[in-house]
Amino acid sequence: MKRRLRSLLAIAMGAAVLLGGTGTSDADARTTSALAGDFTGDASASASVPLQNEVEGTVTLNLRSPGEVTSVTGGIEPPGQAARAVTFDFRTGDAAATQRIVGRWRIGADDPAGEWKLSVVVARAGGTGTTPFVVRVAGKQGISAAKVTPDPVKLVTGKDVKVSVEATVRDAASVSAKLVSGDGGELYDLGDLAGEAGGTYRGSTYLADDTTPGDWTLEVYAHRGGQTLKGVAGFTVAAPANGTTRKARSRVTISAPDKVRAGKPVKVYGKVYRGTKPYKGKTIEVYFKAKGTRTYKLLGFARTTSTGKYAKTYKARKDGYYRVKVPGTRTTRASLSPQEFVDVR
């Protein structure tokens, strides 16, 4: 489930610290301590330096007694730079006990990461108050390492060789990967890689014995806030010593909800192909790996319909990755689906 971070309430100074996320809802940091004065309840911030151009930073606050407020304005100061305006969506005439307001400002590719000083000015009939905050703005995402294991990949006649991918990525909301042949004619899509502590991301797939030999490229994509950073690493595929077999290839797709509440059902579904046609009546294996762990565990089995479709429902217990395996046979090669992450709240 999402990691919740408590705000640091500096009572003597009246300052609260908002811990900014990576610019996407999946990585927003949240605070739960009560805020004194003009604000109360939960507060959150989402702010990061983009790879290029500009993005929007946001802060969300609960304004106390909004009916007494005439205006909410603010400014935010990056380290070593002049302050810039923050615009709030405050609505006058609200008779509720609190009003949730969102402040917005622009962050450019040349702006510094770190602690930005936010000041929020609330004007009421009885006077004006200023509340200081600190928003931690995340740095640019980066890909520092990527590799394929084994390298070279030695294909084996009549077998499917498992290939693992590992990448080290900083400040990404999600990371995906592909294996692409040197001439671009063949591709293995690993989907989203599974994130672990320290910015390590992993995934795997099977290479059939008729995979194109020669130079290949691992392509790693780090995604955050609508922007994508690409990194590449080369590896080699060696032809099988005893030639290829005439087995048909299998392929499996997978879908699942992005987010679900704890205890609610998670439907994992997709379609299996043998060659270009639906793989009907095939028993497939469904696996799950909890976020932060390295091992997939077998959840159960599903059987495809006459059109190759499958579906299986499980109870949501924790954040993690689902994937499906199509076991190989004498006439059909094995395959793995991409990894599908489900955020349990």
Side-chain angles (χ1 to χ4, degrees), residues 36-51:
D38 287 313
F39 302 100
T40 183
D42 288 349
S44 65
S46 177
S48 59
V49 179
L51 295 171

Side-chain angles (χ1 to χ4, degrees), residues 145-229:
K147 66 178 182 179
V148 169
T149 304
D151 183 14
V153 180
K154 297 180 179 179
L155 302 179
V156 180
T157 303
K159 294 185 178 181
D160 300 293
V161 177
K162 187 175 182 179
V163 173
S164 299
V165 167
E166 179 181 327
T168 304
V169 182
R170 183 184 69 253
D171 292 327
S174 65
V175 177
S176 60
K178 298 176 181 178
L179 305 180
V180 183
S181 65
D183 61 5
E186 191 170 4
L187 179 148
Y188 288 85
D189 186 357
L190 280 71
D192 285 347
L193 302 184
E196 300 175 7
T200 298
Y201 291 82
R202 301 180 194 274
S204 59
T205 190
Y206 286 113
L207 266 60
D209 66 3
D210 63 347
T211 297
T212 304
D215 294 331
W216 280 64
T217 300
L218 163 63
E219 297 182 353
V220 176
Y221 299 88
H223 312 280
R224 186 183 69 187
Q227 297 192 336
T228 298
L229 177 66

Side-chain angles (χ1 to χ4, degrees), residues 314-334:
Y314 301 96
K315 183 175 290 188
R317 301 189 184 277
K318 58 181 68 175
D319 291 352
Y321 301 83
Y322 293 84
R323 77 181 316 175
V324 171
K325 177 181 178 180
V326 181
T329 69
R330 290 187 304 104
T331 59
T332 307
R333 307 180 194 281

Side-chain angles (χ1 to χ4, degrees), residues 76-156:
I76 192 164
E77 181 181 336
Q81 296 185 8
R84 61 195 65 178
V86 178
T87 304
F88 287 90
D89 60 353
F90 166 67
R91 306 175 305 281
T92 59
D94 189 349
T98 62
Q99 182 184 124
R100 198 163 187 82
I101 61 173
V102 178
R104 295 179 168 84
W105 71 96
R106 305 303 296 176
I107 304 174
D110 295 329
D111 283 331
E115 296 184 348
W116 291 34
K117 297 177 181 179
L118 169 68
S119 295
V120 184
V121 180
V122 178
R124 300 178 184 270
T128 299
T130 300
T131 304
F133 299 90
V134 173
V135 177
R136 292 185 186 168
V137 176
K140 293 181 180 180
Q141 56 185 330
I143 302 172
S144 57
K147 66 178 182 179
V148 169
T149 304
D151 183 14
V153 180
K154 297 180 179 179
L155 302 179
V156 180

Side-chain angles (χ1 to χ4, degrees), residues 63-82:
L63 177 66
R64 191 194 302 269
S65 303
E68 304 172 357
V69 177
T70 57
S71 67
V72 180
T73 57
I76 192 164
E77 181 181 336
Q81 296 185 8

